[in-house]
Amino acid sequence: MERILVIGCSGQIGSELVLALRKKYGSNNVFATDIKNPTDEIREGGPFQNLDVLDYNNLLHYVVRHNITQVYNLAAVLSGNAEKIPLQAWDINMKALMNTLQVAQESQAKKLFWPSSIAVFGPTTPRHNTPQLTVMEPNTVYGISKLAGERWGEYFYSKYGVDFRSVRYPGLISYKTEPGGGTTDYAVEIFFEAIKKNRYECFLSEDTALPMMFMDDAIKNTIKLMEADGDSLSLRSSYNMAGISFTPKEIASEIRKHKPDFEITYKPDFRQAIADSWPASIDDSVARKDWGLHDEFGIGKMSAHMLKKIEEKIAG
Ligand code: SER
C-alpha cells in the first residue's frame, strides 16, 4: 500500500492534488503538509501537519515515522515573485528540492514527483511547438532553478536510484486555490474578475501566447506519470506538457461568449519580459508516447467550467 506525502498542500496544485490522491489511495494514506494553513477540506479530510520542507531533519523524521513511500514536492516561489527576491528564491527552490532528493536517497520513500515548468526555456529556444530536447537558456531565477532541478533529479536517479519523475507544467488554470506570483496567473485572475467586475486589466499584452492547462487535466496526468511503469519512462529529467496555447485576447473573446459586456484592457508590467522569453506552444509527443499523457479540456470547455465554478463559489 502506498503512503503518500504532499509537500505544499495549501498551494494551487497541492490543494487539489491531495483531494484526488485521497480519493484514490484512501484518506489515511495521504499526508498533507505545508507551512501555510490548508483549506478546511484538507485539514478535516485526513492527516495534515505544519512542516517546513527546508528543515531537513524534521522532514526525514516525518517520512520515516509515517512509512511514506512516495513524495510530491510542490513547494516553490513562482516566476514573478522570484524576480523580486532572486537569491532567496534560488535558496528556497533549490533547498526544497535537494532536501526531498536526499530524503528519497536515505529513506524508503524512493519515488519523488517534482514539478518543472515551461520556464526552463529561454529567449533562444524555438518558440513554437518547442521540442522536448532543445536549446535551454532560461533568463529568470525561477527558470534557472527549474532547469538545475531537472538536472539534479536525473542525477539522483542515475547515481542513487531515486525514482524521480517530473513534468514541465504550462500555466495552470484552476478556481479552488488561486496561484500567487506567477507569470501565467493572469489566466486565472481574468475569470475571477470577469465574474466580480465584468472587466479585467491584464498585465500581459493582448497577443502574448502561452501554453496553459486546466487543473483537472494537470492532476490526472501527474498521477498517471507517478503510476506509470518505470521501464516505460525514457526520460528522468522532465517531460514537456503542452496543454492549450492562447493569448489574453483569445481568452477574453471566449469569456464574451458567456458575458458579452466583458471588457479587457492591457497594461503590461515586468512579467511581460518573462512571458516573452517562454514558448508560445509546446510539443509533448514524448510524454504521450512514454506514459500516455492525454488532456481533455480545450479553451471552450475550460472557460465555461471556470466561469460556472467561480460564480458558484462567490455565491457561496
Ligand atoms: N505558472 C508558473 C509561473 O508563471 C510557471 O511555471 O511562474
Side-chain angles (χ1 to χ4, degrees):
M1 192 53 182
E2 297 292 348
R3 291 170 67 84
I4 303 172
L5 169 62
V6 178
I7 297 166
C9 71
S10 307
Q12 191 199 10
I13 304 171
S15 60
E16 301 207 28
L17 181 67
V18 167
L19 302 181
L21 289 170
R22 281 184 176 158
K23 213 167 168 185
K24 199 152 190 188
Y25 291 91
S27 298
N28 293 328
N29 296 316
V30 181
F31 297 76
T33 65
D34 206 309
I35 50 171
K36 281 188 291 189
N37 284 336
T39 58
D40 292 345
E41 220 176 351
I42 286 188
R43 191 191 290 280
E44 286 154 20
F48 166 77
Q49 175 72 41
N50 188 302
L51 185 92
D52 187 353
V53 63
L54 302 181
D55 181 343
Y56 179 76
N57 287 331
N58 247 339
L59 178 66
L60 181 62
H61 283 151
Y62 190 86
V63 164
V64 172
R65 189 167 72 239
H66 295 286
N67 292 315
I68 300 296
T69 57
Q70 47 176 280
V71 177
Y72 290 77
N73 172 10
L74 307 172
V77 181
L78 292 185
S79 60
N81 280 349
E83 290 306 299
K84 296 178 192 157
I85 46 163
L87 296 185
Q88 241 175 304
W90 168 262
D91 281 347
I92 294 168
N93 288 355
M94 293 315 291
K95 185 131 182 59
L97 170 63
M98 298 315 279
N99 280 355
T100 46
L101 283 169
Q102 256 179 288
V103 163
Q105 185 188 354
E106 284 173 23
S107 75
Q108 72 291 338
K110 289 282 171 250
K111 203 184 250 191
L112 172 62
F113 177 83
W114 175 82
S116 185
S117 161
I118 54 167
V120 291
F121 301 113
T124 52
T125 302
R127 267 181 71 74
H128 297 279
N129 213 21
T130 304
Q132 175 70 45
L133 196 58
T134 184
V135 178
M136 297 168 93
E137 297 185 316
N139 59 3
T140 62
V141 174
Y142 179 74
I144 298 168
S145 74
K146 287 295 182 189
L147 181 53
E150 288 187 8
R151 302 284 82 225
W152 275 111
E154 191 190 84
Y155 186 89
F156 269 69
Y157 168 75
S158 53
K159 298 278 177 185
Y160 309 124
V162 169
D163 191 356
F164 180 83
R165 301 175 183 214
S166 175
V167 291
R168 294 171 179 154
Y169 283 130
L172 297 180
I173 300 180
S174 65
Y175 55 86
K176 280 209 171 149
T177 306
E178 289 186 61
T183 301
T184 56
D185 293 12
Y186 94 83
V188 176
E189 289 172 11
I190 195 169
F191 289 107
F192 278 91
E193 296 296 291
I195 297 295
K196 288 186 201 156
K197 300 185 188 145
N198 214 14
R199 71 181 126 79
Y200 179 61
E201 183 171 272
C202 187
F203 59 77
L204 298 182
S205 66
E206 61 179 357
D207 290 322
T208 310
L210 286 169
M212 306 275 180
M213 184 178 264
F214 189 56
M215 189 60 86
D216 288 27
D217 278 333
I219 300 283
K220 248 187 262 163
N221 281 302
T222 301
I223 296 174
K224 197 168 192 186
L225 170 62
M226 283 294 266
E227 290 180 342
D229 180 354
D231 292 338
S232 66
L233 306 180
S234 64
L235 283 173
R236 290 302 186 139
S237 51
S238 190
Y239 283 96
N240 276 7
M241 197 182 209
I244 37 178
S245 285
F246 56 75
T247 63
K249 194 167 147 188
E250 283 163 345
I251 199 78
S253 75
E254 202 57 48
I255 290 174
R256 271 191 213 108
K257 290 184 187 164
H258 305 266
K259 298 177 70 65
D261 302 332
F262 175 68
E263 278 173 34
I264 184 164
T265 52
Y266 301 92
K267 197 177 174 196
D269 68 12
F270 72 102
R271 287 169 284 192
Q272 183 66 46
I274 301 178
D276 287 341
S277 77
W278 290 354
S281 61
I282 304 262
D283 173 6
D284 61 11
S285 51
V286 182
R288 287 177 189 274
K289 179 171 153 282
D290 281 8
W291 51 273
L293 168 68
H294 170 76
D295 44 307
E296 283 166 20
F297 282 80
I299 188 170
K301 187 172 167 189
M302 185 269 292
S303 302
H305 209 73
M306 283 294 283
L307 292 169
K308 180 167 165 269
K309 290 292 178 181
I310 293 170
E311 204 150 27
E312 286 169 11
K313 190 174 174 178
I314 287 173

PDB file of all heavy atoms in Angstrom, residues 12 77-82 115-120 142 146 168-172 179-186 203 210-212 271 274 278, ligand 1:
ATOM      1  N   GLN A  12      -1.724  26.128  -5.070  1.00  0.00           N
ATOM      2  CA  GLN A  12      -2.679  25.960  -6.166  1.00  0.00           C
ATOM      3  C   GLN A  12      -2.796  24.492  -6.599  1.00  0.00           C
ATOM      4  O   GLN A  12      -3.895  23.983  -6.785  1.00  0.00           O
ATOM      5  CB  GLN A  12      -2.251  26.823  -7.369  1.00  0.00           C
ATOM      6  CG  GLN A  12      -3.326  26.903  -8.453  1.00  0.00           C
ATOM      7  CD  GLN A  12      -2.777  27.351  -9.806  1.00  0.00           C
ATOM      8  OE1 GLN A  12      -1.570  27.445 -10.018  1.00  0.00           O
ATOM      9  NE2 GLN A  12      -3.673  27.635 -10.732  1.00  0.00           N
ATOM     10  N   VAL A  77       8.763  29.155  -4.984  1.00  0.00           N
ATOM     11  CA  VAL A  77       8.473  30.571  -5.230  1.00  0.00           C
ATOM     12  C   VAL A  77       8.321  30.704  -6.746  1.00  0.00           C
ATOM     13  O   VAL A  77       9.228  30.331  -7.487  1.00  0.00           O
ATOM     14  CB  VAL A  77       9.644  31.469  -4.765  1.00  0.00           C
ATOM     15  CG1 VAL A  77       9.319  32.940  -5.006  1.00  0.00           C
ATOM     16  CG2 VAL A  77       9.972  31.212  -3.292  1.00  0.00           C
ATOM     17  N   LEU A  78       7.167  31.212  -7.214  1.00  0.00           N
ATOM     18  CA  LEU A  78       6.907  31.281  -8.657  1.00  0.00           C
ATOM     19  C   LEU A  78       7.685  32.401  -9.354  1.00  0.00           C
ATOM     20  O   LEU A  78       8.326  33.234  -8.708  1.00  0.00           O
ATOM     21  CB  LEU A  78       5.405  31.422  -8.920  1.00  0.00           C
ATOM     22  CG  LEU A  78       4.540  30.204  -8.572  1.00  0.00           C
ATOM     23  CD1 LEU A  78       3.103  30.432  -9.007  1.00  0.00           C
ATOM     24  CD2 LEU A  78       5.071  28.930  -9.216  1.00  0.00           C
ATOM     25  N   SER A  79       7.566  32.417 -10.694  1.00  0.00           N
ATOM     26  CA  SER A  79       8.455  33.236 -11.528  1.00  0.00           C
ATOM     27  C   SER A  79       8.469  34.736 -11.220  1.00  0.00           C
ATOM     28  O   SER A  79       9.540  35.336 -11.106  1.00  0.00           O
ATOM     29  CB  SER A  79       8.096  33.029 -13.006  1.00  0.00           C
ATOM     30  OG  SER A  79       6.758  33.413 -13.232  1.00  0.00           O
ATOM     31  N   GLY A  80       7.292  35.340 -11.096  1.00  0.00           N
ATOM     32  CA  GLY A  80       7.228  36.790 -10.877  1.00  0.00           C
ATOM     33  C   GLY A  80       7.796  37.153  -9.514  1.00  0.00           C
ATOM     34  O   GLY A  80       8.634  38.061  -9.383  1.00  0.00           O
ATOM     35  N   ASN A  81       7.378  36.426  -8.494  1.00  0.00           N
ATOM     36  CA  ASN A  81       7.881  36.686  -7.140  1.00  0.00           C
ATOM     37  C   ASN A  81       9.382  36.459  -7.045  1.00  0.00           C
ATOM     38  O   ASN A  81      10.097  37.190  -6.347  1.00  0.00           O
ATOM     39  CB  ASN A  81       7.160  35.798  -6.117  1.00  0.00           C
ATOM     40  CG  ASN A  81       5.797  36.366  -5.752  1.00  0.00           C
ATOM     41  OD1 ASN A  81       5.481  37.505  -6.098  1.00  0.00           O
ATOM     42  ND2 ASN A  81       4.991  35.581  -5.068  1.00  0.00           N
ATOM     43  N   ALA A  82       9.873  35.441  -7.729  1.00  0.00           N
ATOM     44  CA  ALA A  82      11.297  35.109  -7.657  1.00  0.00           C
ATOM     45  C   ALA A  82      12.163  36.258  -8.185  1.00  0.00           C
ATOM     46  O   ALA A  82      13.280  36.485  -7.700  1.00  0.00           O
ATOM     47  CB  ALA A  82      11.592  33.824  -8.425  1.00  0.00           C
ATOM     48  N   PRO A 115       7.663  19.309  -9.687  1.00  0.00           N
ATOM     49  CA  PRO A 115       7.237  20.000 -10.899  1.00  0.00           C
ATOM     50  C   PRO A 115       8.314  20.869 -11.491  1.00  0.00           C
ATOM     51  O   PRO A 115       8.907  21.701 -10.804  1.00  0.00           O
ATOM     52  CB  PRO A 115       6.072  20.873 -10.408  1.00  0.00           C
ATOM     53  CG  PRO A 115       6.293  21.053  -8.952  1.00  0.00           C
ATOM     54  CD  PRO A 115       7.143  19.917  -8.449  1.00  0.00           C
ATOM     55  N   SER A 116       8.563  20.676 -12.790  1.00  0.00           N
ATOM     56  CA  SER A 116       9.350  21.646 -13.522  1.00  0.00           C
ATOM     57  C   SER A 116       8.356  22.550 -14.266  1.00  0.00           C
ATOM     58  O   SER A 116       7.155  22.538 -13.945  1.00  0.00           O
ATOM     59  CB  SER A 116      10.325  20.961 -14.475  1.00  0.00           C
ATOM     60  OG  SER A 116      11.156  21.950 -15.078  1.00  0.00           O
ATOM     61  N   SER A 117       8.818  23.315 -15.222  1.00  0.00           N
ATOM     62  CA  SER A 117       7.971  24.356 -15.805  1.00  0.00           C
ATOM     63  C   SER A 117       8.432  24.717 -17.214  1.00  0.00           C
ATOM     64  O   SER A 117       9.599  24.507 -17.576  1.00  0.00           O
ATOM     65  CB  SER A 117       8.068  25.586 -14.898  1.00  0.00           C
ATOM     66  OG  SER A 117       7.664  26.756 -15.564  1.00  0.00           O
ATOM     67  N   ILE A 118       7.520  25.333 -17.970  1.00  0.00           N
ATOM     68  CA  ILE A 118       7.889  25.901 -19.276  1.00  0.00           C
ATOM     69  C   ILE A 118       8.941  26.995 -19.104  1.00  0.00           C
ATOM     70  O   ILE A 118       9.563  27.420 -20.070  1.00  0.00           O
ATOM     71  CB  ILE A 118       6.662  26.494 -19.997  1.00  0.00           C
ATOM     72  CG1 ILE A 118       5.933  27.507 -19.097  1.00  0.00           C
ATOM     73  CG2 ILE A 118       5.721  25.394 -20.442  1.00  0.00           C
ATOM     74  CD1 ILE A 118       4.916  28.373 -19.828  1.00  0.00           C
ATOM     75  N   ALA A 119       9.156  27.419 -17.859  1.00  0.00           N
ATOM     76  CA  ALA A 119      10.165  28.460 -17.574  1.00  0.00           C
ATOM     77  C   ALA A 119      11.597  27.978 -17.778  1.00  0.00           C
ATOM     78  O   ALA A 119      12.532  28.779 -17.758  1.00  0.00           O
ATOM     79  CB  ALA A 119      10.001  28.962 -16.139  1.00  0.00           C
ATOM     80  N   VAL A 120      11.775  26.646 -17.973  1.00  0.00           N
ATOM     81  CA  VAL A 120      13.147  26.159 -18.226  1.00  0.00           C
ATOM     82  C   VAL A 120      13.652  26.622 -19.590  1.00  0.00           C
ATOM     83  O   VAL A 120      14.841  26.594 -19.863  1.00  0.00           O
ATOM     84  CB  VAL A 120      13.261  24.614 -18.182  1.00  0.00           C
ATOM     85  CG1 VAL A 120      13.058  24.099 -16.775  1.00  0.00           C
ATOM     86  CG2 VAL A 120      12.290  23.960 -19.158  1.00  0.00           C
ATOM     87  N   TYR A 142      13.597  31.793 -11.509  1.00  0.00           N
ATOM     88  CA  TYR A 142      12.718  30.623 -11.412  1.00  0.00           C
ATOM     89  C   TYR A 142      13.089  29.583 -12.475  1.00  0.00           C
ATOM     90  O   TYR A 142      13.237  28.394 -12.179  1.00  0.00           O
ATOM     91  CB  TYR A 142      11.280  31.112 -11.608  1.00  0.00           C
ATOM     92  CG  TYR A 142      10.222  30.057 -11.577  1.00  0.00           C
ATOM     93  CD1 TYR A 142       9.832  29.465 -10.384  1.00  0.00           C
ATOM     94  CD2 TYR A 142       9.554  29.667 -12.739  1.00  0.00           C
ATOM     95  CE1 TYR A 142       8.830  28.520 -10.343  1.00  0.00           C
ATOM     96  CE2 TYR A 142       8.544  28.725 -12.713  1.00  0.00           C
ATOM     97  CZ  TYR A 142       8.186  28.158 -11.519  1.00  0.00           C
ATOM     98  OH  TYR A 142       7.184  27.222 -11.497  1.00  0.00           O
ATOM     99  N   LYS A 146      14.554  25.801 -12.021  1.00  0.00           N
ATOM    100  CA  LYS A 146      13.843  24.629 -12.541  1.00  0.00           C
ATOM    101  C   LYS A 146      14.761  23.784 -13.448  1.00  0.00           C
ATOM    102  O   LYS A 146      14.737  22.559 -13.385  1.00  0.00           O
ATOM    103  CB  LYS A 146      12.587  25.049 -13.305  1.00  0.00           C
ATOM    104  CG  LYS A 146      11.445  25.552 -12.413  1.00  0.00           C
ATOM    105  CD  LYS A 146      10.911  24.461 -11.504  1.00  0.00           C
ATOM    106  CE  LYS A 146       9.743  24.933 -10.651  1.00  0.00           C
ATOM    107  NZ  LYS A 146       9.370  23.942  -9.623  1.00  0.00           N
ATOM    108  N   ARG A 168       7.089  19.380 -17.113  1.00  0.00           N
ATOM    109  CA  ARG A 168       7.224  20.832 -17.250  1.00  0.00           C
ATOM    110  C   ARG A 168       5.815  21.397 -17.402  1.00  0.00           C
ATOM    111  O   ARG A 168       5.260  21.410 -18.500  1.00  0.00           O
ATOM    112  CB  ARG A 168       8.065  21.164 -18.494  1.00  0.00           C
ATOM    113  CG  ARG A 168       9.496  20.695 -18.358  1.00  0.00           C
ATOM    114  CD  ARG A 168      10.263  20.819 -19.674  1.00  0.00           C
ATOM    115  NE  ARG A 168      11.643  20.385 -19.495  1.00  0.00           N
ATOM    116  CZ  ARG A 168      12.415  19.911 -20.469  1.00  0.00           C
ATOM    117  NH1 ARG A 168      11.954  19.828 -21.712  1.00  0.00           N
ATOM    118  NH2 ARG A 168      13.651  19.541 -20.208  1.00  0.00           N
ATOM    119  N   TYR A 169       5.228  21.809 -16.279  1.00  0.00           N
ATOM    120  CA  TYR A 169       3.859  22.318 -16.343  1.00  0.00           C
ATOM    121  C   TYR A 169       3.784  23.596 -17.169  1.00  0.00           C
ATOM    122  O   TYR A 169       4.635  24.482 -17.032  1.00  0.00           O
ATOM    123  CB  TYR A 169       3.363  22.687 -14.938  1.00  0.00           C
ATOM    124  CG  TYR A 169       2.953  21.547 -14.042  1.00  0.00           C
ATOM    125  CD1 TYR A 169       3.456  21.465 -12.750  1.00  0.00           C
ATOM    126  CD2 TYR A 169       2.019  20.595 -14.443  1.00  0.00           C
ATOM    127  CE1 TYR A 169       3.068  20.454 -11.884  1.00  0.00           C
ATOM    128  CE2 TYR A 169       1.635  19.580 -13.586  1.00  0.00           C
ATOM    129  CZ  TYR A 169       2.154  19.504 -12.311  1.00  0.00           C
ATOM    130  OH  TYR A 169       1.769  18.513 -11.455  1.00  0.00           O
ATOM    131  N   PRO A 170       2.728  23.711 -17.969  1.00  0.00           N
ATOM    132  CA  PRO A 170       2.399  25.019 -18.544  1.00  0.00           C
ATOM    133  C   PRO A 170       1.680  25.829 -17.454  1.00  0.00           C
ATOM    134  O   PRO A 170       1.599  25.380 -16.310  1.00  0.00           O
ATOM    135  CB  PRO A 170       1.451  24.643 -19.686  1.00  0.00           C
ATOM    136  CG  PRO A 170       0.852  23.333 -19.300  1.00  0.00           C
ATOM    137  CD  PRO A 170       1.809  22.657 -18.345  1.00  0.00           C
ATOM    138  N   GLY A 171       1.161  26.992 -17.745  1.00  0.00           N
ATOM    139  CA  GLY A 171       0.377  27.746 -16.767  1.00  0.00           C
ATOM    140  C   GLY A 171      -0.828  26.917 -16.348  1.00  0.00           C
ATOM    141  O   GLY A 171      -1.488  26.335 -17.201  1.00  0.00           O
ATOM    142  N   LEU A 172      -1.110  26.844 -15.063  1.00  0.00           N
ATOM    143  CA  LEU A 172      -2.216  26.001 -14.604  1.00  0.00           C
ATOM    144  C   LEU A 172      -3.414  26.865 -14.221  1.00  0.00           C
ATOM    145  O   LEU A 172      -3.274  27.863 -13.506  1.00  0.00           O
ATOM    146  CB  LEU A 172      -1.766  25.125 -13.436  1.00  0.00           C
ATOM    147  CG  LEU A 172      -0.645  24.136 -13.792  1.00  0.00           C
ATOM    148  CD1 LEU A 172      -0.246  23.302 -12.580  1.00  0.00           C
ATOM    149  CD2 LEU A 172      -1.038  23.231 -14.959  1.00  0.00           C
ATOM    150  N   PRO A 179      -3.289  30.911  -7.797  1.00  0.00           N
ATOM    151  CA  PRO A 179      -1.826  30.889  -7.740  1.00  0.00           C
ATOM    152  C   PRO A 179      -1.333  32.198  -7.151  1.00  0.00           C
ATOM    153  O   PRO A 179      -2.136  33.092  -6.892  1.00  0.00           O
ATOM    154  CB  PRO A 179      -1.429  30.780  -9.207  1.00  0.00           C
ATOM    155  CG  PRO A 179      -2.559  31.387  -9.955  1.00  0.00           C
ATOM    156  CD  PRO A 179      -3.790  31.152  -9.155  1.00  0.00           C
ATOM    157  N   GLY A 180      -0.057  32.327  -6.940  1.00  0.00           N
ATOM    158  CA  GLY A 180       0.462  33.588  -6.404  1.00  0.00           C
ATOM    159  C   GLY A 180       1.835  33.885  -6.957  1.00  0.00           C
ATOM    160  O   GLY A 180       2.763  33.090  -6.826  1.00  0.00           O
ATOM    161  N   GLY A 181       1.970  35.023  -7.647  1.00  0.00           N
ATOM    162  CA  GLY A 181       3.298  35.460  -8.058  1.00  0.00           C
ATOM    163  C   GLY A 181       3.819  34.851  -9.331  1.00  0.00           C
ATOM    164  O   GLY A 181       5.004  34.948  -9.639  1.00  0.00           O
ATOM    165  N   GLY A 182       2.943  34.233 -10.130  1.00  0.00           N
ATOM    166  CA  GLY A 182       3.391  33.643 -11.391  1.00  0.00           C
ATOM    167  C   GLY A 182       3.101  34.549 -12.578  1.00  0.00           C
ATOM    168  O   GLY A 182       2.339  35.511 -12.470  1.00  0.00           O
ATOM    169  N   THR A 183       3.699  34.213 -13.716  1.00  0.00           N
ATOM    170  CA  THR A 183       3.512  34.996 -14.941  1.00  0.00           C
ATOM    171  C   THR A 183       2.242  34.572 -15.672  1.00  0.00           C
ATOM    172  O   THR A 183       1.628  35.364 -16.385  1.00  0.00           O
ATOM    173  CB  THR A 183       4.744  34.798 -15.849  1.00  0.00           C
ATOM    174  OG1 THR A 183       5.892  35.225 -15.107  1.00  0.00           O
ATOM    175  CG2 THR A 183       4.650  35.597 -17.129  1.00  0.00           C
ATOM    176  N   THR A 184       1.841  33.323 -15.472  1.00  0.00           N
ATOM    177  CA  THR A 184       0.628  32.836 -16.130  1.00  0.00           C
ATOM    178  C   THR A 184      -0.625  33.087 -15.281  1.00  0.00           C
ATOM    179  O   THR A 184      -1.724  32.707 -15.685  1.00  0.00           O
ATOM    180  CB  THR A 184       0.756  31.325 -16.426  1.00  0.00           C
ATOM    181  OG1 THR A 184       1.032  30.637 -15.198  1.00  0.00           O
ATOM    182  CG2 THR A 184       1.886  31.048 -17.408  1.00  0.00           C
ATOM    183  N   ASP A 185      -0.461  33.736 -14.125  1.00  0.00           N
ATOM    184  CA  ASP A 185      -1.596  33.957 -13.208  1.00  0.00           C
ATOM    185  C   ASP A 185      -2.745  34.738 -13.847  1.00  0.00           C
ATOM    186  O   ASP A 185      -3.889  34.643 -13.402  1.00  0.00           O
ATOM    187  CB  ASP A 185      -1.167  34.750 -11.963  1.00  0.00           C
ATOM    188  CG  ASP A 185      -0.221  33.975 -11.061  1.00  0.00           C
ATOM    189  OD1 ASP A 185       0.274  32.924 -11.497  1.00  0.00           O
ATOM    190  OD2 ASP A 185       0.035  34.437  -9.930  1.00  0.00           O
ATOM    191  N   TYR A 186      -2.438  35.540 -14.876  1.00  0.00           N
ATOM    192  CA  TYR A 186      -3.497  36.352 -15.485  1.00  0.00           C
ATOM    193  C   TYR A 186      -4.660  35.472 -15.957  1.00  0.00           C
ATOM    194  O   TYR A 186      -5.830  35.864 -15.905  1.00  0.00           O
ATOM    195  CB  TYR A 186      -2.938  37.192 -16.665  1.00  0.00           C
ATOM    196  CG  TYR A 186      -3.094  36.524 -18.006  1.00  0.00           C
ATOM    197  CD1 TYR A 186      -4.302  36.608 -18.708  1.00  0.00           C
ATOM    198  CD2 TYR A 186      -2.064  35.754 -18.550  1.00  0.00           C
ATOM    199  CE1 TYR A 186      -4.469  35.946 -19.924  1.00  0.00           C
ATOM    200  CE2 TYR A 186      -2.228  35.100 -19.754  1.00  0.00           C
ATOM    201  CZ  TYR A 186      -3.428  35.192 -20.439  1.00  0.00           C
ATOM    202  OH  TYR A 186      -3.590  34.525 -21.616  1.00  0.00           O
ATOM    203  N   PHE A 203      -1.932  42.126 -17.174  1.00  0.00           N
ATOM    204  CA  PHE A 203      -0.527  42.542 -17.050  1.00  0.00           C
ATOM    205  C   PHE A 203       0.368  41.999 -18.170  1.00  0.00           C
ATOM    206  O   PHE A 203       1.576  42.187 -18.161  1.00  0.00           O
ATOM    207  CB  PHE A 203       0.040  42.206 -15.664  1.00  0.00           C
ATOM    208  CG  PHE A 203      -0.003  40.736 -15.301  1.00  0.00           C
ATOM    209  CD1 PHE A 203       0.926  39.833 -15.827  1.00  0.00           C
ATOM    210  CD2 PHE A 203      -0.951  40.251 -14.406  1.00  0.00           C
ATOM    211  CE1 PHE A 203       0.902  38.488 -15.491  1.00  0.00           C
ATOM    212  CE2 PHE A 203      -0.988  38.894 -14.064  1.00  0.00           C
ATOM    213  CZ  PHE A 203      -0.059  38.017 -14.607  1.00  0.00           C
ATOM    214  N   LEU A 210       0.763  31.831 -24.575  1.00  0.00           N
ATOM    215  CA  LEU A 210       1.474  30.952 -23.633  1.00  0.00           C
ATOM    216  C   LEU A 210       0.717  29.627 -23.518  1.00  0.00           C
ATOM    217  O   LEU A 210      -0.506  29.602 -23.648  1.00  0.00           O
ATOM    218  CB  LEU A 210       1.531  31.603 -22.242  1.00  0.00           C
ATOM    219  CG  LEU A 210       2.492  32.765 -22.030  1.00  0.00           C
ATOM    220  CD1 LEU A 210       2.216  33.440 -20.683  1.00  0.00           C
ATOM    221  CD2 LEU A 210       3.946  32.297 -22.098  1.00  0.00           C
ATOM    222  N   PRO A 211       1.449  28.546 -23.246  1.00  0.00           N
ATOM    223  CA  PRO A 211       0.774  27.266 -23.023  1.00  0.00           C
ATOM    224  C   PRO A 211       0.132  27.222 -21.633  1.00  0.00           C
ATOM    225  O   PRO A 211       0.738  27.676 -20.660  1.00  0.00           O
ATOM    226  CB  PRO A 211       1.903  26.230 -23.110  1.00  0.00           C
ATOM    227  CG  PRO A 211       3.177  26.985 -23.300  1.00  0.00           C
ATOM    228  CD  PRO A 211       2.917  28.438 -23.142  1.00  0.00           C
ATOM    229  N   MET A 212      -1.069  26.678 -21.557  1.00  0.00           N
ATOM    230  CA  MET A 212      -1.834  26.612 -20.301  1.00  0.00           C
ATOM    231  C   MET A 212      -2.526  25.248 -20.210  1.00  0.00           C
ATOM    232  O   MET A 212      -2.753  24.593 -21.238  1.00  0.00           O
ATOM    233  CB  MET A 212      -2.949  27.675 -20.288  1.00  0.00           C
ATOM    234  CG  MET A 212      -2.498  29.088 -20.543  1.00  0.00           C
ATOM    235  SD  MET A 212      -1.939  29.843 -19.004  1.00  0.00           S
ATOM    236  CE  MET A 212      -1.485  31.478 -19.644  1.00  0.00           C
ATOM    237  N   ARG A 271       6.325  41.354 -15.892  1.00  0.00           N
ATOM    238  CA  ARG A 271       6.103  39.953 -16.260  1.00  0.00           C
ATOM    239  C   ARG A 271       6.016  39.742 -17.775  1.00  0.00           C
ATOM    240  O   ARG A 271       6.140  38.618 -18.256  1.00  0.00           O
ATOM    241  CB  ARG A 271       4.846  39.422 -15.560  1.00  0.00           C
ATOM    242  CG  ARG A 271       5.095  39.202 -14.074  1.00  0.00           C
ATOM    243  CD  ARG A 271       3.839  38.943 -13.313  1.00  0.00           C
ATOM    244  NE  ARG A 271       3.075  40.177 -13.100  1.00  0.00           N
ATOM    245  CZ  ARG A 271       2.038  40.290 -12.276  1.00  0.00           C
ATOM    246  NH1 ARG A 271       1.636  39.242 -11.601  1.00  0.00           N
ATOM    247  NH2 ARG A 271       1.407  41.445 -12.119  1.00  0.00           N
ATOM    248  N   ILE A 274       9.175  38.274 -18.968  1.00  0.00           N
ATOM    249  CA  ILE A 274       9.268  36.846 -18.623  1.00  0.00           C
ATOM    250  C   ILE A 274       8.469  36.034 -19.646  1.00  0.00           C
ATOM    251  O   ILE A 274       8.975  35.065 -20.220  1.00  0.00           O
ATOM    252  CB  ILE A 274       8.736  36.579 -17.191  1.00  0.00           C
ATOM    253  CG1 ILE A 274       9.523  37.392 -16.150  1.00  0.00           C
ATOM    254  CG2 ILE A 274       8.774  35.084 -16.878  1.00  0.00           C
ATOM    255  CD1 ILE A 274       9.037  37.235 -14.711  1.00  0.00           C
ATOM    256  N   TRP A 278       9.370  32.853 -22.847  1.00  0.00           N
ATOM    257  CA  TRP A 278       8.859  31.476 -22.768  1.00  0.00           C
ATOM    258  C   TRP A 278       8.221  31.052 -24.084  1.00  0.00           C
ATOM    259  O   TRP A 278       7.815  31.899 -24.879  1.00  0.00           O
ATOM    260  CB  TRP A 278       7.805  31.379 -21.647  1.00  0.00           C
ATOM    261  CG  TRP A 278       8.370  31.496 -20.262  1.00  0.00           C
ATOM    262  CD1 TRP A 278       9.684  31.561 -19.914  1.00  0.00           C
ATOM    263  CD2 TRP A 278       7.621  31.575 -19.034  1.00  0.00           C
ATOM    264  NE1 TRP A 278       9.805  31.660 -18.549  1.00  0.00           N
ATOM    265  CE2 TRP A 278       8.555  31.679 -17.984  1.00  0.00           C
ATOM    266  CE3 TRP A 278       6.262  31.560 -18.716  1.00  0.00           C
ATOM    267  CZ2 TRP A 278       8.176  31.766 -16.642  1.00  0.00           C
ATOM    268  CZ3 TRP A 278       5.875  31.644 -17.394  1.00  0.00           C
ATOM    269  CH2 TRP A 278       6.825  31.744 -16.358  1.00  0.00           C
TER     270      TRP A 278
HETATM  271  N1  SER B   1       2.970  29.197 -13.815  1.00  0.00           N
HETATM  272  C1  SER B   1       4.329  29.422 -13.448  1.00  0.00           C
HETATM  273  C2  SER B   1       4.636  30.858 -13.342  1.00  0.00           C
HETATM  274  O1  SER B   1       4.024  31.632 -14.036  1.00  0.00           O
HETATM  275  C3  SER B   1       5.220  28.805 -14.466  1.00  0.00           C
HETATM  276  O2  SER B   1       5.603  27.552 -14.063  1.00  0.00           O
HETATM  277  O3  SER B   1       5.515  31.207 -12.619  1.00  0.00           O
END
